[in-house]
Amino acid sequence: QVYKGLDIITNKVSLQEQRLCRHHMISFVDPLVSNYTVVDFRDKAVPLISYIFARDKIPIVVGGTNYYIESLLWKVLINTKEKPSSVPRPDSDRKVELEQLDSAELHRRLSQVDPEMAARLHPHDKRKVARSLQVFEETGIPHSEILHQQQEEEGGGPLGGPLKYPHSCILWLHADQAALDARLEKRVDDMLAAGLLEELRDFHRRYNREKVAENRQDYQHGIFQSIGFKEFHEYLVSEGNCSPETSALLLEKGIQALKQVTKRYARRQNKWVRNRFLKRPGPNVPPVYGLEVSDLQRWEEDVLKPALEIVESFIQGREPLAQPLRMEQDEENKRSHRVCELCARLIIGDREWAAHTRSKSHLHHLKKRRKLEASGRAGGTVGDSGDTGTSDEDGSLPVP
């Protein structure tokens, strides 16, 4: 919503609602800017929050993208420029440049300057590896060392530095999954009725067509990361160049893809709240209050009244009637490293390892090895795992 225009695809709050309360951080970035980052967002939002506090008002951060909210609540980001700017930088983005390199080369470079960070990151996670390299190149300090410094500050913890606003609270609006899915599907239908396709066509004519012609289309940066662009890409580039029947099929494919990815994104956001807010280790975590929004007919009773009571309690310095949500810490190690010699794959995280051992690819290699071992026993020898299971005919990513 920081980008100018494109109000439908970014689901901006209506002008009517904006008149009810002063809004900030909406429609101020040129949509053609591709290097606007969460650091730019934070560097503009933090002074605004200070300005609101200075006027004896209460800043309300609304999301949305919980990663951006986390950047405001805790000290978790790293400045790689001497003078942080509140506006997008016109110069090229070093991280984007690094992402053009081969994954193995990127990881090799990181291993040389920051072996600890290289060991924590999957070799094929180009974006995170490139970011760690960028941090080292632009600060001269290994990324892992800066993270350790943050965590060791008073109030810091395993997920980053201290809480920046100690008297904050989080209101989490959540719904039954079936009700949420139905609401999200309806939202896509409403976006189409409001003119989504016309908005996308206009932007495609003004900007995207040239990118496609030059084979420079990039859905990993800037406004194009927003849900809705890549889902309708095939439809937009083929419109007018194919039969009406094919165009109609591509349109329906885009609509269904938009609905699916929207629901998937909502699940990821809920997972982020659970893992990064509710399960966040340490004492410096704002209380999270759950507000049930499955039945919109009960908005006043289930959402508005409890929310107002919670906020009023915080203003008055007393305990709210509502109890904050509690979630038990799990014992999962998300940083564990295991190499499946059978599949020649590096797996990071306990949950990912469990999923891998149940995967068709792994089971295929396991079955293949057992057959070879059985034939070896029949012939009087027993083969070892070095004889089998290292082909990646199933598309497995080899260990570098």
Side-chain angles (χ1 to χ4, degrees), residues 78-92:
I78 297 170
N79 288 327
T80 57
K81 302 289 184 181
E82 287 186 9
K83 294 181 180 179
S85 172
S86 62
V87 296
R89 298 174 294 278
D91 56 326
S92 61

Side-chain angles (χ1 to χ4, degrees), residues 101-314:
L101 297 175
D102 176 75
S103 296
E105 172 62 16
L106 264 180
H107 198 261
R108 184 189 67 79
R109 291 190 186 186
L110 183 61
S111 298
Q112 291 177 337
V113 299
D114 192 350
E116 180 182 341
M117 206 66 194
R120 289 169 59 181
L121 298 177
H122 197 288
H124 298 283
D125 193 341
K126 290 182 74 171
R127 297 188 72 176
K128 289 184 179 179
V129 173
R131 172 57 179 164
S132 288
L133 264 177
Q134 179 197 21
V135 169
F136 177 77
E137 288 184 2
E138 296 182 356
T139 66
I141 305 171
H143 193 179
S144 58
E145 185 177 328
I146 297 176
L147 293 179
H148 284 312
Q149 290 172 1
Q150 280 187 351
Q151 294 163 3
E152 289 168 3
E153 290 183 38
E154 185 178 354
L159 295 182
L163 187 67
K164 290 190 283 190
Y165 304 103
H167 302 296
S168 54
C169 70
I170 297 171
L171 304 178
W172 180 28
L173 278 64
H174 58 89
D176 172 78
Q177 195 63 59
L180 180 59
D181 286 347
R183 198 173 300 160
L184 291 173
E185 292 211 5
K186 182 180 183 302
R187 186 174 81 173
V188 172
D189 293 334
D190 291 343
M191 289 165 65
L192 289 162
L196 174 63
L197 293 180
E198 288 73 16
E199 184 176 86
L200 287 173
R201 284 192 193 101
D202 177 63
F203 194 64
H204 180 67
R205 281 192 297 268
R206 290 190 292 118
Y207 172 72
N208 201 31
R209 184 176 289 172
E210 178 185 340
K211 287 268 190 179
V212 172
E214 297 175 5
N215 197 28
R216 292 188 296 116
Q217 179 57 62
D218 179 8
Y219 287 110
Q220 301 302 317
H221 302 96
I223 186 66
F224 288 104
Q225 295 177 91
S226 300
I227 292 174
F229 282 101
K230 53 184 171 291
E231 287 72 28
F232 287 99
H233 179 77
E234 281 188 273
Y235 170 73
L236 291 170
V237 299
S238 63
E239 194 175 23
N241 300 315
C242 62
S243 67
E245 294 78 15
T246 300
S247 186
L249 286 172
L250 290 175
L251 174 58
E252 182 59 27
K253 179 182 175 183
I255 293 171
Q256 293 306 316
L258 179 56
K259 289 181 177 181
Q260 287 300 319
V261 77
T262 301
K263 290 185 285 188
R264 198 178 305 132
Y265 182 69
R267 284 169 168 78
R268 286 206 307 271
Q269 292 299 76
N270 283 334
K271 184 178 178 181
W272 186 284
V273 172
R274 294 186 184 97
N275 291 339
R276 304 286 295 194
F277 295 167
L278 285 172
K279 293 182 181 179
R280 198 177 191 93
N284 290 300
V285 182
V288 180
Y289 295 92
L291 299 170
E292 174 67 47
V293 293
S294 296
D295 184 359
L296 293 181
Q297 300 298 318
R298 293 184 51 83
W299 175 266
E300 293 235 351
E301 301 96 314
D302 294 346
V303 182
L304 183 58
K305 289 180 180 178
L308 290 175
E309 198 278 328
I310 292 167
V311 174
E312 187 175 357
S313 298
F314 268 77

